[in-house]
Amino acid sequence: VFGSYLNTASELERKLWKERPENKGRCYTRGMWRLSQHINYFGDIVLFTGWTMCTGTWWMAWLPAGMAYSFAFQHAPELDAYLERRYGDEFREWA
């Protein structure tokens, strides 16, 4: 449940901030996002770890481990490169 909260609440928080006209074209670095650049990905890993634990089988640990690997070595680097191109110095200061 905590993982789902991290993912959903962080995305909602960012969406509401981005909808305000004065924030157009700016990088969101507040709220939960000040704790982690990819708090939503962390929430997914926590959520899937919980589901894995609920199964009671150790071999299901490949699921959150695979997600973590994918986020760390594919999704996050691609997103960081995009954000740096889009927001420039504002992103680099946050990163």
Side-chain angles (χ1 to χ4, degrees), residues 81-94:
Y82 165 77
L83 292 172
E84 187 170 7
R85 284 191 309 273
R86 178 166 177 159
Y87 298 111
D89 289 338
E90 188 177 10
F91 174 76
R92 283 188 286 279
E93 287 175 23
W94 178 48

Side-chain angles (χ1 to χ4, degrees), residues 10 13-14 17 20 23 26-36 39 94:
S10 65
E13 179 181 71
R14 181 177 59 171
W17 185 84
R20 296 173 57 189
N23 298 325
R26 294 186 54 218
C27 184
Y28 185 63
T29 61
R30 299 175 183 178
M32 286 189 227
W33 297 91
R34 78 184 185 298
L35 304 173
S36 170
I39 191 74
W94 178 48

